Amino acid sequence: MTRPFGLPVRHLVLAVFVAAIWGSNFIVVKTALDVMPPVLMATLRFLVAAVPAVLVLPRPAVPTREIAAYGLLIGTGQFGLMYIAMNGYISPGLASLVIQMQVFFTVGLAVWLLGEKPRTYQMAALLTSFAGIAVIAMHTDRYTSAAGLALVLVAAMSCAGGNLVARRAGRVNMLSYMAWSSLYAVPPLLLLSLVVEGPAQVWGGIMAANAGAWAAVLWQSIANTLFGYGAWAWLLARYPVATIAPTALLVPVFGLGGAAVWLGERLHAWKMMAAALVILGLGINVLWPRTRSLLAGRPH
């Protein structure tokens, strides 16, 4: 059987397909934000991801506080803030790029909270990617503001916190974990929506939502959350992280490319430079250990 990049072709296609789904979600979200308030949309995303899945999937053997913490960090912290940012404060293509800083924030939190020691290549990767973020910060305009950049960076930090919480869960059924944690994401998101957006806007958003907006909610819930994370966990259970993780580098590629094709987002030279630096940093972080092992003639 042909195994390009250490994977059978069908599994490589699956990994790339997941990256395409995650990248495309930024375009889907931006389209739905034209008719639906951002926090309400995040609420509906996790509500649909949770129900009816929790009625058929067993609750994972994880303490309630851990599942609730993951739901809060990923639901409210990551997606709630990111949707607010994408509602006029940052372009979807750049949002798909900046949110990838969660990789480095995860490393930073592991160093701070777990006492892990950062490696030299990780620091080099971080500096490279932050250079890309600095390029974005120097080119804020009416499409990408400093506030939008800050919101997505905070969302990336929240995602990193969620990564550490999920890591403590160990080897659990990720589909079940995502469904049940989504259930715990709904109450804080709904409360935030009612406080920030107001009951009138929430009700108006639901009533104004067209078939396209509801399709966007379903895409985020089923394709992005349940299928995407479930398929990714399935692949990680069968192959080394070093084999699967590099395909995640395609997420901002699909995000930027999709935004350019479907939304007409202009790919300025500075934007391409920022993308190159961020993706290069991510590539160093993901690929360097494997490359070093190959150069040394050791199995990875």
Side-chain angles (χ1 to χ4, degrees):
M1 182 183 296
T2 304
R3 298 173 69 94
F5 306 103
L7 290 169
V9 172
R10 67 181 184 278
H11 293 169
L12 176 62
V13 170
L14 177 60
V16 172
F17 185 54
V18 171
I21 288 173
W22 286 344
S24 71
N25 197 53
F26 294 88
I27 295 93
V28 171
V29 169
K30 182 61 178 175
T31 302
L33 284 173
D34 291 337
V35 295
M36 190 176 288
V39 186
L40 171 63
M41 185 169 62
T43 306
L44 294 173
R45 168 190 175 149
F46 286 97
L47 177 62
V48 175
V51 181
V54 295
L55 301 178
V56 295
L57 293 173
R59 185 184 181 283
V62 178
T64 299
R65 65 179 181 276
E66 298 284 321
I67 301 177
Y70 185 82
L72 180 66
L73 287 165
I74 299 299
T76 307
Q78 181 185 352
F79 288 101
L81 292 179
M82 190 170 68
Y83 288 3
I84 292 172
M86 290 178 64
N87 193 32
Y89 297 101
I90 191 169
S91 66
L94 286 180
S96 74
L97 183 67
V98 176
I99 195 66
Q100 303 307 317
M101 294 304 293
Q102 57 89 12
V103 172
F104 300 109
F105 292 142
T106 301
V107 173
L109 286 177
V111 170
W112 179 36
L113 299 175
L114 305 179
E116 296 185 6
K117 294 183 178 179
R119 307 294 180 86
T120 302
Y121 75 87
Q122 290 174 325
M123 299 304 297
L126 174 63
L127 291 174
T128 302
S129 287
F130 261 122
I133 300 300
V135 171
I136 297 173
M138 291 187 294
H139 290 85
T140 54
D141 53 24
R142 65 190 182 95
Y143 298 106
T144 298
S145 66
L149 179 60
L151 280 169
V152 179
L153 285 173
V154 175
M157 291 181 190
S158 187
C159 178
N163 289 340
L164 293 190
V165 171
R167 193 166 139 187
R168 287 203 299 261
R171 297 179 67 86
V172 298
N173 183 322
M174 186 53 67
L175 185 60
S176 177
Y177 188 86
M178 288 305 303
W180 281 87
S181 63
S182 294
L183 185 65
Y184 285 96
V186 173
L189 279 170
L190 179 58
L191 179 61
L192 182 63
S193 180
L194 291 171
V195 171
V196 174
E197 296 164 343
Q201 192 174 1
V202 167
W203 180 249
I206 293 174
M207 296 304 294
N210 52 25
W214 289 114
V217 170
L218 288 173
W219 178 261
Q220 295 169 72
S221 303
I222 298 173
N224 193 291
T225 303
L226 296 180
F227 174 79
Y229 282 96
W232 193 255
W234 186 88
L235 288 167
L236 288 174
R238 285 158 177 78
Y239 301 100
V241 174
T243 300
I244 301 299
T247 57
L249 297 175
L250 294 173
V251 173
V253 175
F254 284 116
L256 281 164
V261 172
W262 295 105
L263 302 178
E265 183 176 328
R266 296 184 63 184
L267 295 179
H268 300 284
W270 66 264
K271 196 175 290 188
M272 298 301 292
M273 179 185 299
L277 287 168
V278 172
I279 294 173
L280 175 61
L282 292 170
I284 293 171
N285 187 69
V286 171
L287 298 174
W288 174 247
R290 183 178 184 182
T291 303
R292 183 176 57 187
S293 296
L294 290 173
L295 292 174
R298 298 194 302 269
H300 53 273

